Amino acid sequence: MQSSPPKILAAFFILAACAKPHPVEVAKPSILLVTLDTTRADAIRPDTTPNFNALAGRGLLFRQAYTPVPQTLAAHASIMTGLYPAGHGVHENGRYLSDKVPVLAEQMKSAGYRTAAFVSAFAVARRFGLGRGFDVYDDQMPVGAEERSSKETTDRALAYLARPSAQPLFLWVHYYDPHFPYTPPEPYRTRFRNNLYLGEVAAMDEQLGRLVAASRGAIIIAGDHGEGLGEHGEAQHGDLLYQATEHIPLLLIGPGVRVGTSDTAVSTRRIFHTIRDWAGLDAAHTLRRDEREVVVAEAMKPFLDYGWQPQVMALDGRVKTISAGKIEVYDVIADPAETHDLAPRVDISREVRAALHDYPIPTAETPAPSATTDEERRKLASLGYVSATTKPAIRKDAPRPVDMARLFPLLDEAARLFVLERYREVIPLLEKILAADPHNLDSALRLATAQSSLGHDRQALDAFRKAEAIDPDSEDVRTYLALHYARGKDWPKAIPLLERIVSENPDRLPALEALAVVRERQGRVEDALRLRLRIYSVRTPTAAELVQLGRLAMAAGQTATAIDAFEKARSDHDLELGVLYLAAGRLQDARDALDRVPPSNPDYPMALFKRAQVSVLLHEIDSRTRIENARQHADATTRPLIERERLFR
Ligand SMILES: [Zn+2]
């Protein structure tokens, strides 16, 4: 299955090849894309989704639509790029969509569209790479929450829709309600008390109705993946490839779309191609045409996180073949619960065989982890998403994920507790996991790290030895062992380990940070400084870290570097200072502080808005230009403020 990935990758990318301009200029329709998180195909039913069902009467309902991957970020990355995960590189949540992959919103923008997105969970926040090309990307969750209700998201999208514009609009709205935990609002909580999951779907459908009523033009509505609800031992989604999480609703309404249903098996990655088609960019692979394809999907999370068998499926018509350590075959029409494995009795077509064989399995090098911060990992954990921090180990006789399904809840809970640093509680869970799956490197390392963090030196070293036995070549084991030594009285033992890791992998952040601390302890100030500068070229330092860097540079006699660090530390608070000066009526001070806020500051739109206010109050001659500038760069927070601001009238 791992033959010549580069060639295959190229083939995947060609699907997203650049557009030829449409020869005839026709009026371009506005396009609304609604993604329904965690929505199973069979959750669409008259008593639950009356709005969806009414819309289905106006368009084309695909009864055999599939997600390329049953996890939120990766599934949306496929919708936005037209590629399978092997093509865009995002296999699970918490990763980052590379800036090199062409995305739909950018293409829509160059085709003359306004582009706006309103999403409902941190899992698809801008920082994971989906925001590229959107004029507006509203991912602001309520304070202290990592998700928001479809009602809140719809309110914000409707406010945006109410603004008049001559330009066509590409609008993406993402609803998250059906995701676990199932807590529907009333009246759905009572009406669906025996199936709260469906209650969430029903609450979301009500908002879908409001949203669509306010929209003009073409509409695509799709699930991003389904929900296991216990089928094949899976409660939620992301770990297996069965119909419960793979089979999702997909509905198309718009110019050139026939009314009716289609039983052609299709992948939601073709939403990308369909929207390009409506925008007059390129009609290749549009869902407007009934184009038969072998639909492919993957679920690599158990492979990437626990070293279990990689899973790929290929669906040809009604015959679904899953490759995950062995081959399973199901007739998904006659047997949607996938209880009768036909593998011993059927011949797999050459096309399906080729699709499974050619699908690239991520190697240790491919899944580039996005440099998530501890804070971001905690946010993802509170949504139930934690990805491994180690590279996958290819193991002989790796277990099949479906055979290990009883461990899914334990693994998810252990990952959550670990990220929250609740080490005392996580240790017994990790021990249970390792008893059932002794070669689970990620769990072994987490156990060692938990023991180390609690100061249990002997148990930690024991666990590290076991991890080393699982994978003697693992750089992760070396790294975490070095971090363990660096933490305690044996810190000099960390030095040779850290030096080796950093020389082999100069961007390995935890090792760089530990080595910087060790160098300071050794009194090697210049080395420590060099390491800190390298760390901050990979990630952004906090204000406190900048002050520390400044002091280090002073100690090393590097004046320019020290000045630079202290100036940056100060400018970290220029926006706050500017706002406070303005409130205190110190207008000149406010002007100077706000002028120092760099465009790279995520709250730059706020700085522009405040600067425009100051400009009016100071009667500056360019205050009109500043107001206009604030308006043009407004975000979801400043836009309403600017509209209400009396000073600007
Ligand atoms: Zn999702």
Side-chain angles (χ1 to χ4, degrees), residues 37-38 71-72 76 176 179 224-225 237 385:
D37 215 290
T38 322
Q71 233 197 1
T72 305
H76 283 98
Y176 197 68
H179 198 280
D224 71 335
H225 53 75
H237 55 269
Y385 293 127

Side-chain angles (χ1 to χ4, degrees), residues 265-316:
V266 295
S267 167
T268 51
R269 93 197 151 98
R270 282 171 63 193
I271 289 173
F272 170 89
H273 304 94
T274 309
I275 291 176
R276 282 164 51 92
D277 175 23
W278 269 328
L281 286 166
D282 184 357
H285 306 296
T286 175
L287 289 167
R288 285 203 290 182
R289 273 196 311 270
D290 237 359
E291 194 177 285
R292 189 191 149 276
E293 63 170 329
V294 171
V295 172
V296 177
E298 65 155 65
M300 295 296 173
K301 180 174 177 273
F303 168 69
L304 292 171
D305 292 6
Y306 323 130
W308 298 348
Q309 293 288 349
Q311 301 172 104
V312 184
M313 69 161 232
L315 186 101
D316 189 6

Side-chain angles (χ1 to χ4, degrees), residues 163-229:
R163 295 166 51 190
S165 168
Q167 259 179 297
L169 170 67
F170 169 48
L171 174 64
W172 168 37
V173 175
H174 162 250
Y175 291 145
Y176 197 68
D177 314 47
H179 198 280
F180 186 82
Y182 315 129
T183 52
E186 290 294 359
Y188 304 103
R189 190 192 308 251
T190 304
R191 198 183 302 163
F192 290 89
R193 61 182 169 277
N194 296 322
N195 191 336
L196 292 173
Y197 166 72
L198 282 186
E200 294 270 34
V201 175
M204 173 175 72
D205 181 74
E206 181 187 336
Q207 300 304 321
L208 176 68
R210 284 177 71 210
L211 177 67
V212 168
S215 310
R216 300 276 165 278
I219 303 172
I220 294 195
I221 308 169
D224 71 335
H225 53 75
E227 185 81 322
L229 300 179

